[in-house]
Amino acid sequence: MFRDRKEAAILLAEQLNPYHGQHPLVLAIPRGAVPMAKIIADTLKGDMDVVLVRKLRAPDNPEFAIGSIDETGWTYLAEYAHQVVSNPAYIEQEKTTQLEVMHERRNSYTPIRPPLDPQGRIVIIVDDGLATGSTMIAALHAVRAKHPQKLICAVPVAPPDTLAKVTPYADEIVCLEAPELFYSVGQFYQSFPQVSDEEVITLLSKNDK
């Protein structure tokens, strides 16, 4: 159990200390991981930015991911997606919806600059925890296409089966806890408030100065 995202970020930064001084690029999956990535980037003397990916939501359970999509439109579908969704048109509509959300977020999060370039850099992708792992897989795939020197997935908590799914997409996995009994990411935090778009924008604008 972590007190909050701040404590989880501090503990992750300790595990990532070998990259201190190597100017890593720390990418957060918005929104919850953005405050964490800021702490980790500051600790490691690196840069912080966001990698925009979105989960594709199950029709009757928006918290449950059937897959994910990145800004380019590349899509990951979980092996159970077609068992959950019988209508292919739903998936296409959901992809369109999430691409629109990412476009709006990109325009509001980093309106005056392009995303920081991962090419040739040590890149650490941070989330506040993994459930299905879908969004992390999309994030890793998106960044891999930009040819980083090394690609690291860093999360406080994830179930073992999810870590197994994510592992092929990363060069290294840093995960503090991998409990067998896993219902949601929030169960492993004493305090787990939502992070607002305004907080994300503030952290990114401070980072750009």
Side-chain angles (χ1 to χ4, degrees):
M1 179 73 75
F2 304 102
R3 280 197 302 272
D4 50 24
R5 290 185 179 93
K6 179 179 179 181
E7 181 187 56
I10 291 169
L11 293 171
L12 273 176
E14 291 175 358
Q15 294 298 311
L16 293 162
N17 190 60
Y19 301 107
H20 183 275
Q22 299 188 49
H23 197 55
L25 175 58
V26 183
L27 298 178
I29 296 178
R31 292 175 297 209
V34 175
M36 297 177 61
K38 177 65 173 169
I39 291 170
I40 293 168
D42 287 350
T43 303
L44 301 181
K45 307 298 183 189
D47 292 324
M48 187 269 280
D49 203 353
V50 290
V51 52
L52 296 187
V53 293
R54 295 283 293 174
K55 68 182 174 185
L56 300 175
R57 305 164 298 177
D60 300 318
N61 184 359
E63 293 303 313
F64 183 62
I66 58 169
S68 55
I69 188 169
D70 70 13
E71 284 185 275
T72 70
W74 180 83
T75 303
Y76 164 79
L77 288 178
E79 64 274 9
Y80 51 79
H82 294 293
Q83 298 172 350
V84 176
V85 181
S86 57
N87 182 4
Y90 171 84
I91 295 178
E92 292 306 310
Q93 180 57 51
E94 178 68 359
K95 287 163 63 175
T96 299
T97 298
Q98 299 308 331
L99 282 169
E100 290 172 356
V101 171
M102 284 186 283
H103 180 69
E104 291 170 3
R105 284 190 170 181
R106 178 59 69 189
N107 288 339
S108 61
Y109 287 176
T110 57
I112 59 173
R113 64 163 177 83
L116 297 182
D117 188 0
Q119 183 171 352
R121 300 189 65 174
I122 294 169
V123 179
I124 302 167
I125 300 182
V126 179
D127 205 351
D128 50 21
L130 304 181
T132 66
S134 292
T135 51
M136 179 58 76
I137 287 172
L140 290 165
H141 181 274
V143 175
R144 178 72 76 191
K146 297 175 182 176
H147 309 293
Q149 175 188 335
K150 187 173 185 179
L151 187 55
I152 301 149
C153 163
V155 293
V157 63
D161 59 336
T162 293
L163 289 176
K165 290 179 189 174
V166 170
T167 294
Y169 294 87
D171 298 317
E172 181 182 348
I173 303 283
V174 176
C175 181
L176 303 177
E177 302 288 343
E180 293 285 351
L181 291 175
F182 190 105
Y183 302 105
S184 70
V185 172
Q187 81 182 91
F188 299 100
Y189 289 84
Q190 293 173 6
S191 175
F192 195 64
Q194 284 202 348
V195 174
S196 67
D197 280 329
E198 291 73 21
E199 186 174 352
V200 171
I201 292 165
T202 298
L203 286 168
L204 288 169
S205 62
K206 286 180 180 178
N207 195 58
D208 290 342
K209 291 178 181 176

